[in-house]
Amino acid sequence: MSRYFVSKYAALTPYTPGEQPRGRQYVKLNTNESPFPPSEGVIRAVEAEGHRLNLYSDPECFVLRGRLAARYGVEPDMVMLTNGSDDILNFAFMAFSDEQSPLFFPDITYGFYPVFASLNHIPYTEIPLTDDFSIDPADYAGVNGTVVIANPNAPTGKLLPLDVIEAIVRSNPDHVVIVDEAYIDFGGQSAVSLVPRYDNLLVTQTFSKSRSMAGARLGFCIGQASLIADLNTLRYSTNPYNVNLMTAAAGVAALEDDDYYMGNCRVIMDNRAWTTSALEALGFTVLPSKANFVFAKSDRIGGEELYLRLKEKGVLVRHFKLDRIKEYNRITIGTRAQMECLVDTVKEILKEAAV
Ligand code: PMP
């Protein structure tokens, strides 16, 4: 730390992104990316926009916002687009929580929540998941603060049904409930349908996972126009051009190719079922996932050791050192060939461990 770094950030522990390895070629199952390339239409759109990079992007994202609104059955003023959905989470925490409306989220969830809370000096409470890693909705009823819930949750993959989300939203009428649906397209039911009825509900989603655009950075949120206006006040006070020209065009093209992407999600769901059974047959506990990853622990080898042995053999998964989950690994669901490679490599490791 330099001697110029201001003291209000001195205690900040930044988020640690998953490894993006250089050099060696891994079967990369550590950052929940899609194994499928963007559609041809998206690639063409990016190339075409490349010729116009001398111009600023449209800060209102007019075309994309209209298409997204139509896709999700809401009005354009109920949508805001950002540079990945992380951006929205930061804006939403800034806009809707402070000492009078502190944050509540699970103890095991997306690691960026405590970071954004600390960055913005917002007090927060981590509510423990139950013993089977579920969110108990009763813990969030009338908490008198801003609630953020990833649904499905990460890294567990567990999904709350829509009526449970609705009950949490209804029980906190004076505070915003943020539902982070980064993984909703892999078998969940979105809370977007509730938005017209609740002015305190904000739903965030991303093009990073189900639409193969992690590298383009495109996230969006849907809420009533008043919430979106507040978020835009912060966005226009930070960086109105947060969605670049190529990404906005890629987003429009991706929505035109929605069938391709939703088909890919079905393949991921099939591969998830296959991987779950294959790991269970090897003695693993695999949490029931509705995301593009599974969270699994072996009855024969420790979490960190398995992570390291897999890495040695060229398969990268994500291990978290947090005490409650240190025996688990989060494994992104890729193509069937990638998952077969994972399972074969696990078998090899278990055989070596048994010797
Ligand atoms: N929410 C959750 C639960 C996530 O796992 C991620 C991805 N790391 C994000 C939000 C942010 O994704 P992005 O910024 O790529 O939209």
Side-chain angles (χ1 to χ4, degrees), residues 270-341:
D270 283 350
N271 292 348
R272 181 178 69 206
W274 182 87
T275 307
T276 302
S277 312
L279 289 175
E280 282 174 348
L282 295 174
F284 278 75
T285 302
V286 185
L287 301 191
S289 170
K290 291 288 181 192
N292 68 340
F293 55 82
V294 289
F295 204 45
K297 108 177 151 172
S298 166
D299 59 352
R300 281 175 251 173
I301 184 167
E304 185 164 24
E305 191 184 351
L306 178 60
Y307 157 76
L308 290 171
R309 302 286 293 273
L310 281 168
K311 189 172 177 186
E312 255 168 44
K313 292 177 182 286
V315 180
L316 210 49
V317 299
R318 185 96 196 249
H319 178 256
F320 300 91
K321 287 188 193 292
L322 215 66
D323 214 40
R324 268 188 91 184
I325 53 173
K326 65 180 192 315
E327 296 310 332
Y328 284 78
N329 278 289
R330 192 195 67 191
I331 304 165
T332 302
I333 303 297
T335 61
R336 182 61 68 91
Q338 286 178 311
M339 302 328 288
E340 283 169 1
C341 175

Side-chain angles (χ1 to χ4, degrees), residues 14 31-32 38 49 114 173 206 263 270 306 342:
T31 47
N32 299 343
E49 289 302 282
T206 179
D270 283 350
L306 178 60
L342 166 90

Side-chain angles (χ1 to χ4, degrees), residues 42-182:
V42 165
I43 294 166
R44 275 196 304 275
V46 169
E47 276 169 8
E49 289 302 282
H51 296 284
R52 303 198 321 124
L53 280 179
N54 51 316
L55 304 176
Y56 280 106
S57 58
D58 172 13
E60 290 187 30
C61 279
F62 184 80
V63 179
L64 176 54
R65 204 154 46 85
R67 300 284 176 88
L68 262 180
R71 164 70 171 78
Y72 288 93
V74 296
E75 295 301 317
D77 63 0
M78 296 165 74
V79 179
M80 185 179 85
L81 285 134
T82 51
N83 191 300
S85 58
D86 282 338
D87 236 9
I88 303 168
L89 295 168
N90 188 28
F91 288 142
F93 284 17
M94 286 168 77
F96 306 123
S97 48
D98 62 6
E99 289 79 10
Q100 276 70 51
S101 186
L103 277 162
F104 291 85
F105 48 81
D107 63 337
I108 295 165
T109 189
Y110 184 32
F112 232 134
Y113 300 158
V115 178
F116 283 139
S118 306
L119 174 68
N120 295 303
H121 303 284
I122 301 160
Y124 62 91
T125 302
E126 294 175 295
I127 301 179
L129 293 182
T130 60
D131 288 344
D132 69 349
F133 295 121
S134 298
I135 289 172
D136 182 349
D139 290 341
Y140 295 85
V143 284
N144 217 20
T146 305
V147 172
V148 55
I149 286 181
N151 198 40
N153 196 12
T156 64
K158 284 191 143 188
L159 180 82
L160 284 179
L162 199 54
D163 58 330
V164 171
I165 294 287
E166 182 168 11
I168 294 171
V169 174
R170 207 183 312 121
S171 74
N172 289 289
D174 297 327
H175 300 273
V176 171
V177 175
I178 303 162
V179 183
D180 175 351
E181 294 189 347

